[in-house]
Amino acid sequence: MRGWSDLAERVAGTTRTSEKTSLLARYLATLSSGELRAAATFLSGRPFPEADPRVVGLGWATIAAVVGRLAGTPAGALGAAYDNSSDLGVAVAEVLALRPDAPDPSLSPGLEEVADGFTAIGAAPGPAAKAAEFTSLLARCDALTAKYVVKILTGELRIGLREGLLEAAIAEAFERPRPAVGTALMLTGDTGETAVLAKEGRLNDARLRLLHPIKFMLASPAEDAADVMARLGPIVWVEDKYDGIRAQLHRRGSEVRLYSRDLHDISGQFPEIVAAAGPLDWDGILDGEILAYSDGHVLPFLTLQARLGRKEPTPEIQVEVPVAYVAFDVLAIGPRSYGGHDGAGSTVMPMLGVPLRERRGRLESLGLPTVADGGGFALSHLVTADSAETLDRVFDEARARHNEGLMVKDPQSGYTPGRRGLGWLKMKRALATLDCVVVGVEAGNGKRHGVLSDYTFAVRDESTDRLVTIGKAYTGLTDAELAEMTRWFESHTVRHVGRYRQVDPVVVVEVAFDVIQRSSRHQSGFALRFPRIARLRIEKSPTEIDTLANVERLHREFQYGAEYLVTAEERSSDRRKVDG
Ligand code: AMP
């Protein structure tokens, strides 16, 4: 692991991608298969492969306690070190460097030992047992190795390594074609496995496996209808953009699983959908969105939210917030297997490279049991558009159905897992904006380290004439704007509270967001979903910002639910098929 950590330092130390790639390639080529699996997984910035449901479950408090005990430093030492760097790995290394009996770097654990250590931490029940496993791993690490062990554990590697670069390095290390590495990675969702297949000349063995989630295809944002038509025209496929939870549905034999966008198994949260998929007579993978719905109406995301964050829904909440699975894609399909538990006999055909037009046809031919018939499924609402005007009209219709906007898809496009490809464009407008005043700022992380980029903002409560916070946003301004504002905020800091600076409430910002909801997190009693700073309103005075009364009014508007779900009849009547 020390060798890996040295490599990581060198990769972080150069900005040239070709140099990063060759450093990585030379290093990977020296490893055994076992070491390679761990090394490549860690280079992806995770303790376990992305498609692996395991988590280490180690919190900041446990890490701080273990590091403090090993280093013999007083409580607060790690926090102080973290304030300097905003990087937990760096802070841990700084604190552990003070250890009187630091282990010799040559004795640092091997890559496979670290992988075993991560497994043991993940499997340990409860914080105390996890702390014991973490202590035994960290005690053997010199400061530099510990820095990277912690960076991997917290998923914040920050050495300037994109997945594409790692893919190129694997190809170069074992002299394999880059597209073959990319395909294997896409199918397995496992960098370690892909690296080993490349080393052993078995990239063609990579298979899409049922009950192993693959990354989701993502959409690129579009400016407006004209932009969409210019990029995907002359004829585009247009689906409503539903505001629910993206989920991949896998089924093999009698097993059905649902995976979230971050590839976690969420089947337990939606037993109705799992049950609805039970009788289906195929094995395969669908892509779609889980929505709260009742009596043929889609309910707002806020309603669905009541079901989130619980492992299993109570019977009451299942009645209160029923759900449906709106399918829009099929990623693999084949006859239902009746083999053993291991799925022997399942022969699904991957559909990733097949054009959307054919995938959709296949999806429709599955005859999913619809919600209208009490079956738990629906298909996304699909029409075609051949002009910006039509697209604008469809957009307004989708909004009238209380959906977020549109997903515009190229019927010829393949399914590209994990890529923000150009095959899918999303069109949505921020529902509303609020003018708020910045009352606090904090330095950001990573690239934004040292820049006061995190703004806490407030609206005015007219009844008391006080400012009340409503949210916090991290992004939106250009680097130049941020730098200028950082200088301003530094000289207008009223008070330091840890990393947080309370500032003179003078700077007005326009904040865009998707939804307003009630929340005790902020003084206003409301919180914004996906807030982003749309622009600085330097010209505005803080006396002109929005009031709490405005926020309450907007919140009432958001209370209305979507009143639309595609029914079987609408599917056949409303949809216009594209010729050819
Ligand atoms: P965004 O989260 O704004 O980047 O938009 C992408 C998300 O829209 C996807 O991850 C899906 O969860 C969601 N979505 C809603 N409706 C659709 C649809 N018809 N096709 C694809 N994605 C959709």
Side-chain angles (χ1 to χ4, degrees):
M1 188 67 200
R2 172 61 194 228
W4 189 100
S5 306
D6 285 330
L7 168 85
E9 289 280 278
R10 273 181 277 140
V11 170
T14 170
T15 49
R16 296 197 19 231
T17 38
S18 59
E19 202 176 322
K20 284 184 198 270
T21 317
S22 57
L23 277 169
L24 287 163
R26 280 203 301 275
Y27 169 75
L28 294 175
T30 64
L31 305 176
S32 70
S33 291
E35 292 167 334
L36 180 62
R37 183 179 293 277
T41 303
F42 299 166
L43 283 168
S44 74
R46 300 181 187 84
F48 305 122
E50 193 173 12
D52 187 325
R54 287 176 298 166
V55 289
V56 277
L58 207 57
W60 161 282
T62 310
I63 295 180
V66 168
V67 171
R69 226 176 297 133
L70 281 175
T73 45
L78 187 64
Y82 180 79
D83 278 348
N84 288 333
S85 61
S86 301
D87 184 317
L88 192 55
V90 171
V92 165
E94 226 171 80
V95 171
L96 285 183
L98 306 171
R99 253 183 307 186
D101 51 352
D104 190 280
S106 65
L107 300 176
S108 92
L111 285 159
E112 288 165 278
E113 285 174 78
V114 173
D116 291 343
F118 290 163
T119 301
I121 298 170
K130 286 185 189 297
E133 293 293 349
F134 181 46
T135 306
S136 108
L137 175 62
L138 210 61
R140 289 176 286 152
C141 298
D142 63 284
L144 181 71
T145 308
K147 165 174 165 181
Y148 282 100
V149 162
V150 170
K151 275 170 167 276
I152 294 165
L153 275 173
T154 53
E156 305 213 358
L157 195 52
R158 298 193 201 154
I159 57 170
L161 194 59
R162 283 175 296 101
E163 185 176 275
L165 234 151
L166 191 52
E167 198 179 291
I170 293 170
E172 190 176 315
F174 306 109
E175 296 174 9
R176 309 287 172 209
R178 167 97 190 257
V181 175
T183 305
L185 193 55
M186 189 169 88
L187 293 175
T188 61
D190 185 333
T191 325
E193 167 85 5
T194 302
V196 171
L197 289 174
K199 177 183 169 71
E200 297 175 355
R202 298 193 295 117
L203 284 170
N204 286 336
D205 289 354
R207 291 276 174 276
L208 202 147
R209 286 174 294 171
L210 296 178
L211 314 185
H212 289 261
I214 62 167
K215 288 195 210 169
F216 291 73
M217 177 159 174
L218 306 171
S220 305
E223 291 279 323
D224 52 26
D227 179 35
V228 168
M229 294 314 294
R231 286 157 77 175
L232 295 186
I235 292 182
V236 294
W237 276 21
V238 191
E239 296 177 22
D240 278 22
K241 186 173 188 303
Y242 300 97
D243 192 13
I245 298 174
R246 183 87 175 265
Q248 220 170 77
L249 185 149
H250 286 233
R251 101 164 248 123
R252 188 185 68 188
S254 56
E255 280 186 77
V256 177
R257 303 250 180 91
L258 292 164
Y259 299 97
S260 60
R261 200 169 153 151
D262 52 3
L263 312 187
H264 287 122
D265 188 336
I266 51 166
S267 320
Q269 292 182 38
F270 303 103
E272 310 96 307
I273 296 174
V274 171
L280 303 176
D281 65 351
W282 43 263
D283 278 5
I285 306 176
L286 303 184
D287 191 3
E289 191 92 356
I290 295 173
L291 299 174
Y293 104 100
S294 178
D295 298 331
H297 299 297
V298 176
L299 305 175
F301 183 79
L302 290 180
T303 312
L304 182 61
Q305 215 171 23
R307 283 189 62 150
L308 308 183
R310 307 166 188 246
K311 278 223 166 75
E312 282 170 31
T314 58
E316 294 78 38
I317 199 124
Q318 283 189 56
V319 174
E320 222 170 281
V321 187
V323 288
Y325 186 89
V326 179
F328 48 73
D329 221 316
V330 52
L331 314 187
I333 197 75
R336 177 164 177 172
S337 59
Y338 291 91
H341 209 60
D342 60 354
S346 178
T347 50
V348 292
M349 190 175 76
M351 302 282 285
L352 304 178
V354 173
L356 174 62
R357 185 193 302 281
E358 283 172 48
R359 299 203 305 277
R360 176 82 189 196
R362 199 77 178 83
L363 180 64
E364 294 187 359
S365 74
L366 292 179
L368 292 169
T370 64
V371 279
D373 307 328
F377 287 90
L379 293 187
S380 58
H381 181 266
L382 170 67
V383 295
T384 65
D386 57 5
S387 69
E389 293 70 44
T390 314
L391 206 51
D392 271 330
R393 184 176 46 74
V394 180
F395 184 92
D396 292 339
E397 288 166 7
R399 290 306 293 272
R401 290 189 285 266
H402 297 273
N403 285 320
E404 250 192 309
L406 300 177
M407 292 292 281
V408 189
K409 302 181 178 179
D410 175 355
Q412 307 298 355
S413 61
Y415 190 98
T416 49
R419 303 267 152 82
R420 215 168 270 292
L422 294 180
W424 289 8
L425 297 178
K426 58 185 174 195
M427 266 179 84
K428 58 177 182 179
R429 281 175 209 146
L431 288 174
T433 62
L434 282 174
D435 285 336
C436 302
V437 66
V438 180
V439 294
V441 292
E442 264 175 78
N445 288 321
K447 190 169 134 258
R448 293 270 155 91
H449 170 58
V451 180
L452 296 173
S453 59
D454 302 0
Y455 294 2
T456 300
F457 40 84
V459 291
R460 184 175 306 282
D461 179 354
E462 278 179 316
S463 63
T464 58
D465 202 30
R466 281 184 41 226
L467 295 174
V468 286
T469 55
I470 187 161
K472 193 172 157 177
Y474 305 86
T475 50
L477 300 186
T478 65
D479 286 349
E481 280 173 326
L482 276 175
E484 191 187 335
M485 294 314 299
T486 294
R487 282 194 297 278
W488 193 91
F489 285 128
E490 277 170 350
S491 56
H492 291 82
T493 298
V494 180
R495 203 158 66 95
H496 289 264
V497 187
R499 284 158 51 79
Y500 180 84
R501 290 163 177 261
Q502 186 187 335
V503 297
D504 272 343
V506 174
V507 176
V508 177
V509 286
E510 183 179 327
V511 180
F513 56 90
D514 290 3
V515 172
I516 290 186
Q517 53 205 54
R518 287 211 182 271
S519 160
S520 55
R521 201 166 358 129
H522 303 291
Q523 296 157 349
S524 58
F526 291 96
L528 308 177
R529 184 155 166 252
F530 299 137
R532 52 234 177 242
I533 309 281
R535 56 192 170 129
L536 283 170
R537 304 299 304 265
I538 299 289
E539 78 286 1
K540 275 206 166 181
S541 138
T543 55
E544 296 173 88
I545 61 172
D546 272 295
T547 60
L548 193 55
N550 285 350
V551 172
E552 276 161 2
R553 185 183 47 75
L554 274 174
H555 176 253
R556 273 197 301 280
E557 285 176 20
F558 280 110
Q559 295 276 294
Y560 294 110
E563 290 173 358
Y564 193 81
L565 191 71
V566 188
T567 62
E569 307 85 79
E570 278 163 333
R571 268 214 314 280
S572 46
S573 65
D574 197 16
R575 234 198 99 208
R576 284 177 287 150
K577 289 231 179 205
V578 191
D579 295 328

